[in-house]
């Protein structure tokens, strides 16, 4: 089971005790995958259609718990080998369908169905708890989360920009920064930052998934931290080795063209020591001198030797190069 499916399975078992929150979640499900039909006799029925069993199961349970309505469930099997299933939950009774639409604010006082099943007003999600429930329902129907072992990405796909903006504002009310992008005629509300996805799971009350994602994030961050330190140390070692090689080359050049005996005593001493101890650090070289010299002192002497070699190279060409 994918991580996204695990989250949805957990959310499908999450039910609020408050009726207003249950209505908010029902509203989200109808808004994202519902359809309202009116018969020739002006009878209304409400139907949701989804390929996700968790959505159908949750919607059916919410209708019974909130309105004491039992929807008609049907399953369509399709695909070349019959591997795909579409679940439909339909409320055919006019009075029951009307109660659902009125409670969810998806129908106007004049009994006109809101365009594309958008909320007529935002009264249904004024409370923070109701916004949590609405986001939970929206994610169940049209959301997904990438495998956190690979990368971080949370999204909910909306049919219209107005629905996407509404979700973005709801998410923003929890101080989370969601973005909107248009993709293949749909509008996707998404979050890409790992810590904010953890917070989003908390908003939807998917606490088990939250803990799993947090554990993965901790391991990944520790691994990244170790890699950064290893890379930094490797770079420092490379830099140190390159500097030592350059120092040896400069000293050998001076030895061939000037002679170390012609150098000032303090420079000659460190030059001979560097030739003998090519793998030693500056600190180790300093401890070998008599009297001992600090790291900065050794570096200063080697730098002077390098400057002397560079000036000499400018005046004459090394016959051994």
């Amino acid at each position: 089971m994918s991580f996204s499916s695990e989250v949805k399975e957990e959310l499908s078992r999450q039910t609020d005790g408050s009726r207003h929150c249950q209505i908010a979640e029902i509203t989200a499900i109808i808004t994202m995958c519902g359809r309202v039909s009116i018969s020739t006799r002006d009878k209304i029925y409400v139907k949701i259609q989804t390929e996700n069993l968790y959505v159908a199961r949750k919607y059916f349970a919410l209708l019974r718990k909130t309105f004491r309505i039992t929807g008609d469930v049907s399953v369509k099997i399709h695909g070349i080998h019959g591997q795909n299933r579409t679940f439909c939950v339909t409320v055919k009774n006019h009075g029951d369908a009307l109660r659902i639409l009125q409670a969810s604010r998806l129908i106007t006082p004049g009994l006109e169905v809101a365009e594309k099943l958008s909320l007529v007003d935002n009264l249904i999600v004024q409370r923070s708890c109701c916004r949590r429930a609405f986001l939970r329902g929206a994610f169940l129907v049209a959301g997904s989360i990438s495998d956190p072992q690979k990368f971080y990405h949370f999204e909910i796909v909306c049919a219209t920009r107005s629905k996407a903006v509404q979700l973005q504002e709801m998410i923003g009310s929890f101080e989370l920064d969601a973005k909107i992008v248009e993709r293949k005629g749909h509008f996707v509300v998404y979050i890409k930052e790992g810590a904010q996805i953890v917070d989003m799971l908390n908003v939807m009350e998917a606490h088990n998934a939250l803990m799993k994602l947090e554990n993965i994030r901790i391991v990944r961050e520790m691994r990244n931290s170790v890699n950064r330190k290893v890379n930094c140390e490797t770079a420092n070692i490379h830099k140190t080795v390159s500097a030592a090689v350059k120092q040896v080359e400069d000293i050998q050049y001076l030895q061939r063209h000037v002679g170390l005996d012609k150098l000032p005593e303090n420079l000659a001493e460190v030059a001979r020591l560097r030739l003998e101890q090519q793998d030693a650090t500056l600190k180790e070289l300093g401890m070998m001198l008599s009297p001992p010299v600090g790291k900065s002192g050794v570096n200063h002497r080697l730098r002077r030797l390098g400057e002397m070699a560079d000036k000499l190279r400018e005046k004459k060409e090394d016959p051994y190069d």
Side-chain angles (χ1 to χ4, degrees), residues 10 198-199 201-202 206-215:
E10 181 180 355
V198 169
D199 291 338
L201 291 174
N202 187 49
H207 301 303
N208 292 335
L210 182 156
M211 292 302 298
K212 182 174 181 178
L213 176 55
E214 196 71 301
N215 289 337

Side-chain angles (χ1 to χ4, degrees), residues 20-21 122-133 174:
H20 49 79
C21 292
N122 286 330
L123 291 176
I124 203 77
V125 288
Q126 278 192 333
R127 296 182 178 93
S128 173
C129 57
C130 292
R131 289 195 293 276
R132 291 176 184 271
F174 295 100

Side-chain angles (χ1 to χ4, degrees), residues 251-296:
I251 293 169
Q252 289 174 340
Y253 188 87
L254 291 171
Q255 188 178 39
R256 288 196 301 269
H257 294 284
V258 178
L260 299 185
D261 294 338
K262 301 280 184 71
L263 298 176
E265 185 179 347
N266 62 335
L267 297 184
E269 183 184 15
V270 78
R272 293 190 184 94
L273 193 57
R274 171 48 91 192
L275 291 177
E276 295 171 1
Q277 304 289 337
Q278 296 186 12
D279 296 331
T281 64
L282 297 183
K283 184 177 180 181
E284 290 170 343
L285 287 176
M287 295 298 293
M288 296 176 192
L289 293 171
S290 181
V293 177
K295 179 180 175 181
S296 60

